[in-house]
Amino acid sequence: MRIECKIDGRERGFELDPTLSLRELLVRNGNLCVRDSDDGEGFCGSDTVLVDGTPVYANLMLAGEVDGREVRTPAGLGEPGKLSYVQQALIDAGVVQSAYNSPATALLLTWLLENEPNPTREQVKDALSGIYIRDASYENYYLAVKLACELRDKGGYESKIAPDYRPELSYVGKPGSKVDGPQLVRGERAFVEDFVDPDACHLVMLRSPYASAYINSIDASAAEALPGVVAVITCFNCPDITYMQAGQGNPEPSPHDTRLFNHKVRFVGDRVAAVIAETKEIAREACGLISVDYQVLDPVFSVEEAMAEGAPRVHDGIVEYGVGAPEDLDEYNKDAGDEREGKVFYPFPLRADIHRNIAASNKGGIGDVERGFAEADAIVDETYRTTNVQQAPLEPHLCYAKMEGGRLQVYASTQVPYHVRRIVSWVCGLPQNKIHVVKTRVGGGYGSKQDILVEDVCAYAAYATHRPVYYRHTRAEELVAASARHPMRVRVKMGAKKDGSITAIFMEVRANTGAYGNHCLTVPMNSCSKVLPLFKVDNMAYDLITYYSNKLQPGAYQGYGTPKGSYGIMMAMAQLAERLGIDFKDMAVKNHVETGYRLEILKGLGEGREGNVVPVGSCGLDECIRRGCEMIEWGKREESDDPDWKIGKGFAMIMQGSGLPGLDHAEAICKLETDGTVILNSGGADIGTGLDTISTKVAAEILHLPLELVSVISGDTDSAAFDTGSYASSGTFFSGNASVDAARKLARGIIAEAALQMGEDEADLELRYPGEVHSTRTDATLSYGDLSHACCAGDGRGQVVAHGSFITTANAIPYGAHFAQVAVNVRTGQVKVQKYYALQDAGTPINPELAQCQMYGAALKSIGHTLYEDMTIDEKGRPLRTTLTDYGVPMIFEQPDDFKAVMVDVNDADGPFGAKSISEIACNGAAPAIGNAIHDACGVWMRSWPMTPEKVLRELGRI
Amino acid sequence: MDERLVIAASAQEAAKLAASGAGYLAGGTELNRLGSPLHYQRLVSISRVAELRGVEAGDGEVLIGATTSFQEALQSELVPAYLKEALLFMGSRTKRNMATVGGNVAAWRDDSYLAATLLAVGASIELMNESGATRRLSVAEWAQTQPEHRLVRRVIVPADPGWVTSKRYANTMESLSYLVVSLCLHDGAARVALTVKGVGAFVSPELSDAASRGAGEDELVELAYGLDATIPSDMYGSERYKRYLAGVTLARMLEDAGRDDAR
């Protein structure tokens, strides 16, 4: 069919299959910014375009229907080299973060403002009602619209975007200037999918229908015979390399318990075979031609089933250790099962016992908890349960790999480029110098892209076939086979005296690591290590065990184990306060740590090693609680006009970390180019949160340069030096500090070189804006450009280059308090979050508007986890929620009407310019704050998340 | 002519093509979405047929062209408030721009946005066959028969059927609903319709009778527990929860009606 239409103002004609989706037509036309994050479900809105001036989902419209019509895409906004006022306002409001949907929101808000020049909040809400945002929530989109109106009408902003910090500094602590903002909001080439070559083959995965089964045989002959099929990879022809997919520091505190393909499948959705074919359609067809003979086994799904006497063993192979093997290992291995089980390799002991499905365990504490409980006037002993919930980034897991110049090039949407390189190196048997990982922009990570779930197999497929291979998870695969939060059972026993002084805390954590042991020790450890140090209590103990099961493998998720520990301990403390007749706030204030308190509890809570005992550094907890209580009017009872709705308030103290002291490592290389500009090669991985902007700002600040004269190249394993990656809240603290170190060393190098060129003493020289060396003695100046040119002119001493790095044993702990006001319908069980206030001590927020949006985003995600998100499986382990519609993420309707993120100004001694981490901690408050608010509203204690209406009704005794 | 997609110029042309096996394509939110159960080799787009679009006032009725989008219906002053309440159950503005009133009736899903409300008010639809003949039947009849290939030409709702309210339950605004309860009260007589995920949309005579009598919450909940429909326990909640919710929601609706002097 021939269609004629106008696309972004240009007349176009196409000869095409009219039943092609409009999005497919637009992508073929070069409109890469019309993206797809739900496989055509009509949910996320990444595919939003305007047809004859009306917003529609391009995936749900057929190309043939636009014949004679006008289509506008985000690519038509702005002018070459110049952003539109809406695009600019979105960047400045801080909402362009991972940005997979930024082009679509720019288009929608442009449409809105063209039709309603001064829209109300409700109209903004309506316009964005079909857009899914996971990173920044929706709050600052309202601000973006306001800013856009001001920019349009007045040429500048009157509204305050975010607070400023550190007036003595030029860039640090000031809003604006996200370096990748223009690229992302325009929808330019940025993500992995944008780098896929036209001749790329496609990888499609055949997945297990069974929760536990041996693979007796696979007949792939029919698939292999299908024209266009390049290869079929299975457990019978893949490398016999046992590894793990968690992107953690080497040696990892997780067992190596998987291969590319195993002879035993361990969850519904586990890998069975990868088909590499010249088109996706052929690969899919070939998957259907593969015949697999399974020997189905009994599964276990819950920790209770896994721990039961005689329970089926999820892993029953030989166990090996890197170091520290127990003396009776040979005896232990005599009880190993079928050789199809494979093996489990522990880089070092994690107190595991796979014969009892125990993947890892730990216990310890300080003081004498039994004595502490004996001294208590009241004790609570409660158990809280949490389910699998998912990161659900807009951009799914995807990877593109190809051989180039005899090296394996891997385009990855990853938080851990160097860990990707290491694991690909293991799987392919290639040395690291033969592998080049290019971290593209990341369309949402939240921990999910700390795990190497697609890069291993995609890179191996490209290496084995010498064909370029593209592998992209469908949304269903994301919900069936990508990682998620570890479900946990957290028992908290807490005792206190009548005056509210806590005498003892005991935490018993039983975690479910599913089929494989990614993060199996560290996530549950986090449930204690990022919770117990909130308390100045002498007697504290923990006992945690992680069990294998036949559920999908969990992994890293923003907050890691902390949201679950926070939930348990804050709910228990609230219950104890009530029992003692003490206000929860008073009890919190009485027992929380303050600056200088020595955190002995951390000694046993390292990541598989002994932890670092440190004193509390900066701590704004008191201020967070005080201000939050004022904001929410703590203690004031709110009444609803409707007798069915009861209103209550709650809050929770929270903490996290800033990277992993003693484990994390970051590096940066800073070069003075021959014109005096600077390129900083950072090992850090910017996952949309603004790490590159942080590196740019700190380098420009230190080198006294305009921001635009500093360029940051990051996450490319060829151009930068090693960095453990962006996880555990390490980005700003570790990678940022490495950039600070590199910039300071470059500054020293510039001074040293200038002293030689100028014939001055170094002590008399200073760096000045906009990039010159100034002598305080002679008033002489030398521009960086002249200096560097002289260095590289054939008779100089060579380019000024500096190598910075950062390791530390210091722990810049962020603290905070999150407050919620909820309304509970005591007849229907519905819960509405009316108000949510996130207050955190933020150190110096280097990018304040981005930091604030990350607090909003994390809090809204956690509201979703608390109230409705759930990865339900049936009795055979089959996932029931395989679309975002069924999974149920919060969108603009679910956001609290009154939503505030407040950064309490507390400078930190160890962070770059006083910064510490900010976003991950914001995942930790919602469950206990909302849980306690529900209790305040209607008297019931919610002991499991999600706190669904049905559970509320059951607690109320109504059903 | 490429028969894979024909852009129909008239309703009759569309009905003719459908009679020969083509599927109707209106807004596309049902037919083109991921996981749609509907698959056709040939499609006939009815989105440009003028006679199928727009809202008109009739004799005590409002006639809504089948391809009128949810958003257009919301913006029409003729569309009664009770129907707008149901139209707004579809949260996404972008989807409302695409989804059509007739399409929602034609799909008649078990999580339909409109079905319970249309049943409760006794709405009708106008069908056209391939020869251009039209006939009118109640939505309740449509729900039972759903004659193949007939073009839903218009959805006809009473302009003022009495006191009407609908309540939708879903995990989030954008989630599929597991229960919609609709109540229409007119001259003391109540008609109660439910849409239950896994069951579908239906009028409940038992609940209608009880509501007409002004039954209280306990009785309504007990009646809901005893409803004949096979309501599943599923990922949305237990059967008991959903039955309870139907009863208690209806009770609340009746209380609201009492406050509004609608009884």
Side-chain angles (χ1 to χ4, degrees), chain A residues 17-18 40 42 55 57 60 65 67 69 126 129-130 642 644 827 881 886 893-894 950 954 958-959, chain B residues 2 4 32 34 48 91-93 95-98 171-174 217 235-238 244 252 255:
Chain A
D17 172 355
Y57 296 130
L60 301 189
E65 292 185 281
D67 185 34
R69 301 172 83 172
D126 186 51
S129 56
D642 186 329
D644 289 354
R827 267 171 127 178
R881 300 176 192 253
D886 283 337
F893 295 103
E894 283 73 34
E950 181 168 3
R954 288 190 191 285
R958 294 191 70 103
I959 57 173
Chain B
D2 192 327
R4 286 173 291 188
N32 297 334
L34 174 73
R48 298 193 198 187
S92 162
R93 167 67 181 264
K95 204 185 285 181
R96 289 202 307 269
N97 289 335
M98 303 180 77
N171 285 341
T172 67
M173 189 73 178
E174 282 297 285
E217 178 178 322
M235 63 180 175
Y236 305 104
S238 68
Y244 164 84
R252 173 59 198 250
E255 289 163 18

Side-chain angles (χ1 to χ4, degrees), chain A residues 66-103:
Chain A
V66 297
D67 185 34
R69 301 172 83 172
E70 181 168 358
V71 181
R72 274 178 81 186
T73 79
L77 302 175
E79 296 164 22
K82 188 175 178 219
L83 296 170
S84 75
Y85 70 100
V86 173
Q87 291 171 325
Q88 186 65 56
L90 284 165
I91 296 171
D92 292 336
V95 294
V96 179
Q97 301 236 351
S98 52
Y100 203 73
N101 262 359
S102 292

Side-chain angles (χ1 to χ4, degrees), chain A residues 666-670 680 698-699 702 734-748 802-807 912-913:
Chain A
E667 299 193 41
I669 298 164
C670 210
L680 191 152
V698 298
I702 291 164
F734 275 83
S735 305
N737 259 326
S739 295
V740 167
D741 190 45
R744 285 187 176 144
K745 285 175 176 164
L746 187 73
R748 288 202 290 274
H803 172 215
S805 65
F806 185 72
I807 57 168
F913 292 94

Side-chain angles (χ1 to χ4, degrees), chain A residues 44 65 91 182 214-215 236 284 355 367 418 422 440 472 506 514 568 574 723 727 760 776 852 867 877 884 910 922:
Chain A
C44 296
E65 292 185 281
I91 296 171
Y214 289 130
I215 295 176
F236 297 104
R284 282 182 180 150
H355 293 170
Y418 292 91
R422 186 182 79 247
T440 62
R472 178 188 173 107
F506 172 65
D723 186 298
Y727 57 91
E760 302 259 8
T776 54
Q852 208 165 24
L867 294 177
L884 286 170
D910 299 304

